[in-house]
mmCIF file of all heavy atoms in Angstrom:
data_model
loop_
_atom_site.group_PDB
_atom_site.id
_atom_site.type_symbol
_atom_site.label_atom_id
_atom_site.label_comp_id
_atom_site.label_asym_id
_atom_site.label_seq_id
_atom_site.Cartn_x
_atom_site.Cartn_y
_atom_site.Cartn_z
ATOM 1 N N PRO A 226 0.681 2.828 12.770
ATOM 2 C CA PRO A 226 0.279 4.212 12.666
ATOM 3 C C PRO A 226 0.356 4.707 11.141
ATOM 4 O O PRO A 226 1.342 4.340 10.455
ATOM 5 C CB PRO A 226 1.228 4.957 13.521
ATOM 6 C CG PRO A 226 1.655 3.951 14.559
ATOM 7 C CD PRO A 226 1.748 2.665 13.800
ATOM 8 N N ALA A 227 -0.646 5.397 10.711
ATOM 9 C CA ALA A 227 -0.729 5.920 9.329
ATOM 10 C C ALA A 227 0.305 7.043 9.127
ATOM 11 O O ALA A 227 0.800 7.672 10.016
ATOM 12 C CB ALA A 227 -2.122 6.405 9.037
ATOM 13 N N GLY A 228 0.640 7.219 7.853
ATOM 14 C CA GLY A 228 1.512 8.306 7.447
ATOM 15 C C GLY A 228 2.993 7.936 7.416
ATOM 16 O O GLY A 228 3.811 8.842 7.258
ATOM 17 N N TYR A 229 3.321 6.711 7.581
ATOM 18 C CA TYR A 229 4.719 6.271 7.603
ATOM 19 C C TYR A 229 4.919 5.065 6.729
ATOM 20 O O TYR A 229 4.000 4.294 6.442
ATOM 21 C CB TYR A 229 5.136 5.876 9.011
ATOM 22 C CG TYR A 229 4.978 6.991 10.026
ATOM 23 C CD1 TYR A 229 3.841 7.070 10.768
ATOM 24 C CD2 TYR A 229 5.943 7.932 10.218
ATOM 25 C CE1 TYR A 229 3.623 8.146 11.708
ATOM 26 C CE2 TYR A 229 5.801 8.952 11.147
ATOM 27 C CZ TYR A 229 4.635 9.031 11.907
ATOM 28 O OH TYR A 229 4.473 10.030 12.784
ATOM 29 N N LEU A 230 6.145 4.894 6.239
ATOM 30 C CA LEU A 230 6.507 3.643 5.564
ATOM 31 C C LEU A 230 7.126 2.632 6.536
ATOM 32 O O LEU A 230 8.023 3.050 7.293
ATOM 33 C CB LEU A 230 7.501 3.926 4.384
ATOM 34 C CG LEU A 230 7.979 2.726 3.642
ATOM 35 C CD1 LEU A 230 6.788 2.009 2.943
ATOM 36 C CD2 LEU A 230 9.063 3.095 2.637
ATOM 37 N N TRP A 231 6.612 1.434 6.557
ATOM 38 C CA TRP A 231 7.023 0.465 7.547
ATOM 39 C C TRP A 231 7.587 -0.738 6.804
ATOM 40 O O TRP A 231 7.115 -1.190 5.785
ATOM 41 C CB TRP A 231 5.860 -0.018 8.388
ATOM 42 C CG TRP A 231 5.315 1.041 9.279
ATOM 43 C CD1 TRP A 231 4.239 1.857 8.994
ATOM 44 C CD2 TRP A 231 5.719 1.408 10.549
ATOM 45 N NE1 TRP A 231 3.963 2.706 10.017
ATOM 46 C CE2 TRP A 231 4.864 2.436 10.991
ATOM 47 C CE3 TRP A 231 6.740 0.976 11.361
ATOM 48 C CZ2 TRP A 231 5.034 3.043 12.222
ATOM 49 C CZ3 TRP A 231 6.943 1.552 12.613
ATOM 50 C CH2 TRP A 231 6.069 2.602 13.030
ATOM 51 N N GLU A 232 8.658 -1.372 7.356
ATOM 52 C CA GLU A 232 9.059 -2.717 7.035
ATOM 53 C C GLU A 232 8.737 -3.585 8.215
ATOM 54 O O GLU A 232 8.951 -3.175 9.372
ATOM 55 C CB GLU A 232 10.544 -2.778 6.750
ATOM 56 C CG GLU A 232 10.930 -2.049 5.483
ATOM 57 C CD GLU A 232 12.430 -2.130 5.225
ATOM 58 O OE1 GLU A 232 13.216 -2.788 5.970
ATOM 59 O OE2 GLU A 232 12.859 -1.370 4.278
ATOM 60 N N VAL A 233 8.188 -4.772 7.979
ATOM 61 C CA VAL A 233 7.860 -5.666 9.061
ATOM 62 C C VAL A 233 8.615 -6.992 8.816
ATOM 63 O O VAL A 233 8.570 -7.530 7.738
ATOM 64 C CB VAL A 233 6.314 -5.967 9.090
ATOM 65 C CG1 VAL A 233 5.994 -6.902 10.203
ATOM 66 C CG2 VAL A 233 5.580 -4.643 9.204
ATOM 67 N N ARG A 234 9.363 -7.433 9.856
ATOM 68 C CA ARG A 234 10.207 -8.606 9.729
ATOM 69 C C ARG A 234 10.066 -9.478 10.990
ATOM 70 O O ARG A 234 10.081 -8.999 12.087
ATOM 71 C CB ARG A 234 11.664 -8.256 9.574
ATOM 72 C CG ARG A 234 11.923 -7.425 8.333
ATOM 73 C CD ARG A 234 13.392 -7.084 8.217
ATOM 74 N NE ARG A 234 13.581 -6.225 7.085
ATOM 75 C CZ ARG A 234 14.712 -5.701 6.760
ATOM 76 N NH1 ARG A 234 15.778 -5.919 7.451
ATOM 77 N NH2 ARG A 234 14.795 -4.873 5.700
ATOM 78 N N GLY A 235 10.010 -10.773 10.793
ATOM 79 C CA GLY A 235 9.971 -11.702 11.860
ATOM 80 C C GLY A 235 11.338 -12.377 11.940
ATOM 81 O O GLY A 235 12.012 -12.607 10.907
ATOM 82 N N ALA A 236 11.732 -12.772 13.184
ATOM 83 C CA ALA A 236 13.024 -13.510 13.306
ATOM 84 C C ALA A 236 12.941 -14.467 14.459
ATOM 85 O O ALA A 236 12.379 -14.175 15.508
ATOM 86 C CB ALA A 236 14.115 -12.444 13.560
ATOM 87 N N ILE A 237 13.590 -15.623 14.249
ATOM 88 C CA ILE A 237 13.764 -16.600 15.304
ATOM 89 C C ILE A 237 15.143 -16.242 15.931
ATOM 90 O O ILE A 237 16.122 -16.061 15.199
ATOM 91 C CB ILE A 237 13.811 -18.060 14.777
ATOM 92 C CG1 ILE A 237 12.520 -18.412 14.017
ATOM 93 C CG2 ILE A 237 14.064 -19.044 15.902
ATOM 94 C CD1 ILE A 237 11.262 -18.428 14.770
ATOM 95 N N LEU A 238 15.217 -16.169 17.280
ATOM 96 C CA LEU A 238 16.467 -15.834 17.951
ATOM 97 C C LEU A 238 17.026 -17.031 18.696
ATOM 98 O O LEU A 238 16.235 -17.857 19.203
ATOM 99 C CB LEU A 238 16.204 -14.703 18.942
ATOM 100 C CG LEU A 238 15.556 -13.449 18.399
ATOM 101 C CD1 LEU A 238 15.373 -12.396 19.514
ATOM 102 C CD2 LEU A 238 16.399 -12.798 17.316
ATOM 103 N N ASP A 239 18.308 -17.147 18.697
ATOM 104 C CA ASP A 239 18.979 -18.221 19.402
ATOM 105 C C ASP A 239 20.199 -17.559 20.109
ATOM 106 O O ASP A 239 21.328 -17.815 19.746
ATOM 107 C CB ASP A 239 19.444 -19.294 18.431
ATOM 108 C CG ASP A 239 20.043 -20.490 19.163
ATOM 109 O OD1 ASP A 239 19.826 -20.628 20.401
ATOM 110 O OD2 ASP A 239 20.745 -21.284 18.492
ATOM 111 N N CYS A 240 19.865 -16.712 21.132
ATOM 112 C CA CYS A 240 20.987 -15.967 21.700
ATOM 113 C C CYS A 240 21.472 -16.621 23.001
ATOM 114 O O CYS A 240 22.460 -16.175 23.547
ATOM 115 C CB CYS A 240 20.504 -14.551 21.958
ATOM 116 S SG CYS A 240 19.104 -14.359 23.058
ATOM 117 N N GLY A 241 20.866 -17.638 23.511
ATOM 118 C CA GLY A 241 21.318 -18.353 24.703
ATOM 119 C C GLY A 241 21.180 -17.591 26.011
ATOM 120 O O GLY A 241 21.662 -18.031 27.022
ATOM 121 N N ASP A 242 20.467 -16.498 25.976
ATOM 122 C CA ASP A 242 20.205 -15.689 27.182
ATOM 123 C C ASP A 242 18.752 -15.946 27.578
ATOM 124 O O ASP A 242 17.858 -15.833 26.804
ATOM 125 C CB ASP A 242 20.398 -14.193 26.792
ATOM 126 C CG ASP A 242 20.147 -13.289 27.953
ATOM 127 O OD1 ASP A 242 19.551 -13.682 28.969
ATOM 128 O OD2 ASP A 242 20.605 -12.102 27.855
ATOM 129 N N PRO A 243 18.517 -16.296 28.858
ATOM 130 C CA PRO A 243 17.121 -16.561 29.301
ATOM 131 C C PRO A 243 16.239 -15.346 29.150
ATOM 132 O O PRO A 243 15.011 -15.516 29.150
ATOM 133 C CB PRO A 243 17.297 -17.032 30.761
ATOM 134 C CG PRO A 243 18.656 -16.610 31.185
ATOM 135 C CD PRO A 243 19.489 -16.521 29.940
ATOM 136 N N ASP A 244 16.783 -14.139 29.147
ATOM 137 C CA ASP A 244 15.964 -12.956 28.998
ATOM 138 C C ASP A 244 15.652 -12.607 27.487
ATOM 139 O O ASP A 244 14.897 -11.729 27.224
ATOM 140 C CB ASP A 244 16.669 -11.752 29.620
ATOM 141 C CG ASP A 244 16.751 -11.885 31.137
ATOM 142 O OD1 ASP A 244 15.826 -12.534 31.711
ATOM 143 O OD2 ASP A 244 17.713 -11.404 31.743
ATOM 144 N N CYS A 245 16.289 -13.406 26.609
ATOM 145 C CA CYS A 245 16.081 -13.180 25.209
ATOM 146 C C CYS A 245 14.889 -13.977 24.728
ATOM 147 O O CYS A 245 14.758 -15.167 24.991
ATOM 148 C CB CYS A 245 17.330 -13.631 24.481
ATOM 149 S SG CYS A 245 17.342 -13.470 22.712
ATOM 150 N N PRO A 246 13.928 -13.354 23.999
ATOM 151 C CA PRO A 246 12.780 -14.072 23.463
ATOM 152 C C PRO A 246 13.220 -15.051 22.406
ATOM 153 O O PRO A 246 14.245 -14.997 21.813
ATOM 154 C CB PRO A 246 11.875 -13.057 22.883
ATOM 155 C CG PRO A 246 12.766 -11.844 22.643
ATOM 156 C CD PRO A 246 13.915 -11.960 23.603
ATOM 157 N N ASP A 247 12.355 -16.080 22.244
ATOM 158 C CA ASP A 247 12.597 -17.112 21.196
ATOM 159 C C ASP A 247 12.420 -16.510 19.744
ATOM 160 O O ASP A 247 13.030 -16.942 18.785
ATOM 161 C CB ASP A 247 11.689 -18.295 21.367
ATOM 162 C CG ASP A 247 12.006 -19.081 22.623
ATOM 163 O OD1 ASP A 247 13.204 -19.042 23.101
ATOM 164 O OD2 ASP A 247 11.114 -19.741 23.161
ATOM 165 N N ALA A 248 11.436 -15.588 19.642
ATOM 166 C CA ALA A 248 11.130 -15.003 18.326
ATOM 167 C C ALA A 248 10.620 -13.571 18.567
ATOM 168 O O ALA A 248 9.983 -13.307 19.558
ATOM 169 C CB ALA A 248 10.115 -15.826 17.645
ATOM 170 N N VAL A 249 10.916 -12.738 17.573
ATOM 171 C CA VAL A 249 10.397 -11.344 17.634
ATOM 172 C C VAL A 249 9.861 -10.944 16.236
ATOM 173 O O VAL A 249 10.161 -11.574 15.269
ATOM 174 C CB VAL A 249 11.513 -10.314 18.011
ATOM 175 C CG1 VAL A 249 12.042 -10.562 19.434
ATOM 176 C CG2 VAL A 249 12.669 -10.319 17.019
ATOM 177 N N ILE A 250 8.982 -9.963 16.267
ATOM 178 C CA ILE A 250 8.561 -9.263 15.094
ATOM 179 C C ILE A 250 9.066 -7.873 15.245
ATOM 180 O O ILE A 250 8.937 -7.215 16.238
ATOM 181 C CB ILE A 250 7.022 -9.360 14.858
ATOM 182 C CG1 ILE A 250 6.658 -8.630 13.614
ATOM 183 C CG2 ILE A 250 6.319 -8.801 16.086
ATOM 184 C CD1 ILE A 250 5.168 -8.820 13.225
ATOM 185 N N SER A 251 9.790 -7.360 14.225
ATOM 186 C CA SER A 251 10.323 -6.030 14.227
ATOM 187 C C SER A 251 9.560 -5.132 13.270
ATOM 188 O O SER A 251 9.301 -5.516 12.122
ATOM 189 C CB SER A 251 11.821 -6.071 13.816
ATOM 190 O OG SER A 251 12.544 -6.728 14.804
ATOM 191 N N PHE A 252 9.268 -3.963 13.737
ATOM 192 C CA PHE A 252 8.617 -2.904 12.946
ATOM 193 C C PHE A 252 9.602 -1.824 12.726
ATOM 194 O O PHE A 252 10.077 -1.175 13.646
ATOM 195 C CB PHE A 252 7.388 -2.374 13.718
ATOM 196 C CG PHE A 252 6.397 -3.408 14.111
ATOM 197 C CD1 PHE A 252 6.385 -3.973 15.340
ATOM 198 C CD2 PHE A 252 5.430 -3.836 13.194
ATOM 199 C CE1 PHE A 252 5.514 -4.992 15.714
ATOM 200 C CE2 PHE A 252 4.489 -4.844 13.512
ATOM 201 C CZ PHE A 252 4.600 -5.396 14.745
ATOM 202 N N ILE A 253 9.952 -1.611 11.431
ATOM 203 C CA ILE A 253 11.013 -0.706 11.082
ATOM 204 C C ILE A 253 10.368 0.513 10.312
ATOM 205 O O ILE A 253 9.796 0.328 9.302
ATOM 206 C CB ILE A 253 12.047 -1.409 10.170
ATOM 207 C CG1 ILE A 253 12.539 -2.649 10.937
ATOM 208 C CG2 ILE A 253 13.145 -0.468 9.815
ATOM 209 C CD1 ILE A 253 13.122 -3.696 10.022
ATOM 210 N N LEU A 254 10.611 1.703 10.906
ATOM 211 C CA LEU A 254 10.109 2.929 10.316
ATOM 212 C C LEU A 254 11.174 3.436 9.368
ATOM 213 O O LEU A 254 12.370 3.534 9.795
ATOM 214 C CB LEU A 254 9.802 3.927 11.430
ATOM 215 C CG LEU A 254 9.180 5.254 11.001
ATOM 216 C CD1 LEU A 254 8.207 5.659 12.075
ATOM 217 C CD2 LEU A 254 10.223 6.310 10.729
ATOM 218 N N VAL A 255 10.880 3.657 8.122
ATOM 219 C CA VAL A 255 11.821 4.088 7.093
ATOM 220 C C VAL A 255 11.434 5.459 6.557
ATOM 221 O O VAL A 255 10.320 5.716 6.193
ATOM 222 C CB VAL A 255 11.846 3.084 5.938
ATOM 223 C CG1 VAL A 255 12.932 3.460 4.918
ATOM 224 C CG2 VAL A 255 12.001 1.651 6.446
ATOM 225 N N ASP A 256 12.443 6.379 6.536
ATOM 226 C CA ASP A 256 12.135 7.701 5.986
ATOM 227 C C ASP A 256 12.609 7.781 4.525
ATOM 228 O O ASP A 256 13.175 6.859 3.999
ATOM 229 C CB ASP A 256 12.730 8.818 6.867
ATOM 230 C CG ASP A 256 14.271 8.831 6.875
ATOM 231 O OD1 ASP A 256 14.899 8.307 6.009
ATOM 232 O OD2 ASP A 256 14.794 9.468 7.841
ATOM 233 N N ASP A 257 12.404 8.954 3.920
ATOM 234 C CA ASP A 257 12.719 9.144 2.521
ATOM 235 C C ASP A 257 14.202 8.979 2.218
ATOM 236 O O ASP A 257 14.572 8.713 1.094
ATOM 237 C CB ASP A 257 12.227 10.517 2.015
ATOM 238 C CG ASP A 257 10.739 10.605 1.982
ATOM 239 O OD1 ASP A 257 10.024 9.546 1.941
ATOM 240 O OD2 ASP A 257 10.171 11.759 2.031
ATOM 241 N N ASP A 258 15.052 9.199 3.214
ATOM 242 C CA ASP A 258 16.521 9.084 3.015
ATOM 243 C C ASP A 258 17.007 7.678 3.320
ATOM 244 O O ASP A 258 18.231 7.460 3.289
ATOM 245 C CB ASP A 258 17.229 10.091 3.881
ATOM 246 C CG ASP A 258 16.958 11.533 3.494
ATOM 247 O OD1 ASP A 258 16.744 11.799 2.263
ATOM 248 O OD2 ASP A 258 16.882 12.442 4.366
ATOM 249 N N GLY A 259 16.108 6.766 3.637
ATOM 250 C CA GLY A 259 16.538 5.415 3.979
ATOM 251 C C GLY A 259 16.935 5.214 5.437
ATOM 252 O O GLY A 259 17.376 4.081 5.766
ATOM 253 N N ASN A 260 16.808 6.213 6.279
ATOM 254 C CA ASN A 260 17.149 6.002 7.645
ATOM 255 C C ASN A 260 16.081 5.158 8.354
ATOM 256 O O ASN A 260 14.903 5.224 7.993
ATOM 257 C CB ASN A 260 17.181 7.370 8.378
ATOM 258 C CG ASN A 260 18.265 8.317 7.788
ATOM 259 O OD1 ASN A 260 19.385 7.877 7.615
ATOM 260 N ND2 ASN A 260 17.853 9.518 7.377
ATOM 261 N N ARG A 261 16.505 4.309 9.258
ATOM 262 C CA ARG A 261 15.588 3.390 9.841
ATOM 263 C C ARG A 261 15.634 3.464 11.395
ATOM 264 O O ARG A 261 16.713 3.588 11.967
ATOM 265 C CB ARG A 261 15.941 1.945 9.441
ATOM 266 C CG ARG A 261 15.641 1.663 8.053
ATOM 267 C CD ARG A 261 16.228 0.319 7.564
ATOM 268 N NE ARG A 261 15.660 -0.161 6.314
ATOM 269 C CZ ARG A 261 15.835 0.378 5.149
ATOM 270 N NH1 ARG A 261 16.615 1.447 5.020
ATOM 271 N NH2 ARG A 261 15.255 -0.142 4.059
#
């Protein structure tokens, strides 16, 4: 979505839980004060 600052990060997960995905992409919305 336009009008926001985003950080995009990918991660491989190894949490040992069958409900846990193997990998995720995270979309982080960052405001002017650094809150995420």
Side-chain angles (χ1 to χ4, degrees):
Y229 302 93
L230 177 63
W231 296 94
E232 292 179 6
V233 181
R234 300 181 184 175
I237 305 292
L238 305 179
D239 185 18
C240 61
D242 181 342
D244 293 329
C245 179
D247 293 332
V249 296
I250 181 172
S251 294
F252 302 97
I253 305 159
L254 186 145
V255 184
D256 67 19
D257 292 339
D258 294 326
N260 300 308
R261 289 169 164 72

